[in-house]
Amino acid sequence: MTTEIPVQETESPCNPLIVKYLTSPIETSFTPRCASDGYFSPKQCDGRGSCWCTDPSGQQVNSFINGEEQASNLECADTPCLQARIEAQNKINRGEQSVWMPDCDSESVFEEEQCNDVDCWCVESDGTKIPYSARPISVDISCDEICFGQLPSSNNVCTMNDSCDPGNFCHKLEGKQQGRCCKIPRNI
């Protein structure tokens, strides 16, 4: 008896892979899990006790979780960064142009430096853009240094923007009560 595997004609990234894995005699314990829209499900597992989270295009967004108990408890797309990646992929799927795809670290939290094709900028741990941090992609930026790696405009400490001279902003590093006055970049 032969079982026919339905082949969906679709542009989605997951369905062609699942058909390939089901029809080819490849020795693997991994069969991609596809969502109903044809894109990858947020959680993928290899059948050997390892699981990981992916974005809708199948790109791995966190480290492998080994061990059946830990892998079965893995939650995907439950962090703001993963959710933002899913939303960005949905915009791309709808044909929107110039969509920013966030970068998540191994813990599925926003990387502190984010970039698109033109600029890079710093974000808080929740993905909120830090004011005045944007720089052209060709200019180095250091999100974990005061004034993003540029020299402060003075040695004065500040607690809010109105305590800095005009044309400057108060940059406080995460978790600090005081910051330094930094020049507002000209390209903003």
Side-chain angles (χ1 to χ4, degrees):
M1 181 172 141
T2 305
T3 304
E4 288 290 319
I5 298 171
V7 178
Q8 272 185 296
E9 296 298 324
T10 179
E11 297 288 322
S12 67
C14 189
N15 284 335
L17 280 178
I18 194 110
V19 170
K20 175 185 167 192
Y21 282 103
L22 292 174
T23 59
S24 300
I26 298 172
E27 288 189 30
T28 181
S29 60
F30 171 67
T31 301
R33 295 178 183 181
C34 302
S36 60
D37 64 359
Y39 289 86
F40 286 83
S41 295
K43 183 177 179 180
Q44 299 290 322
C45 297
D46 67 3
R48 297 183 196 155
S50 294
C51 294
W52 59 95
C53 298
T54 66
D55 66 16
S57 68
Q59 184 71 34
Q60 184 176 334
V61 294
N62 72 341
S63 302
F64 285 98
I65 304 296
N66 293 311
E68 287 184 33
E69 186 174 331
Q70 289 120 332
S72 66
N73 293 328
L74 176 65
E75 295 289 330
C76 295
D78 61 348
T79 67
C81 191
L82 292 179
Q83 187 59 42
R85 286 185 67 84
I86 289 169
E87 290 169 12
Q89 186 63 53
N90 289 338
K91 289 178 182 179
I92 291 168
N93 296 345
R94 289 192 302 268
E96 292 185 31
Q97 302 294 314
S98 302
V99 176
W100 164 60
M101 180 64 74
D103 291 319
C104 306
D105 68 14
S106 62
E107 302 296 318
S108 302
V109 174
F110 287 94
E111 290 280 359
E112 64 183 13
E113 181 181 332
Q114 298 287 322
C115 297
N116 58 24
D117 294 339
V118 179
D119 297 313
C120 290
W121 60 92
C122 302
V123 298
E124 302 287 355
S125 58
D126 67 355
T128 303
K129 184 176 179 179
I130 297 175
Y132 309 116
S133 65
R135 304 285 187 274
I137 202 164
S138 61
V139 176
D140 286 337
I141 187 171
S142 182
C143 297
D144 59 351
E145 292 182 29
I146 200 74
C147 298
F148 312 109
Q150 307 303 310
L151 289 175
S153 60
S154 71
N155 288 327
N156 297 340
V157 295
C158 57
T159 56
M160 58 183 65
N161 284 336
D162 63 2
S163 60
C164 294
D165 294 333
N168 293 278
F169 69 99
C170 184
H171 181 214
K172 296 189 293 186
L173 294 176
E174 196 168 331
K176 302 288 184 183
Q177 298 298 319
Q178 296 180 327
R180 299 291 288 279
C181 293
C182 307
K183 288 201 177 297
I184 295 174
R186 293 176 194 242
N187 62 340
I188 294 180

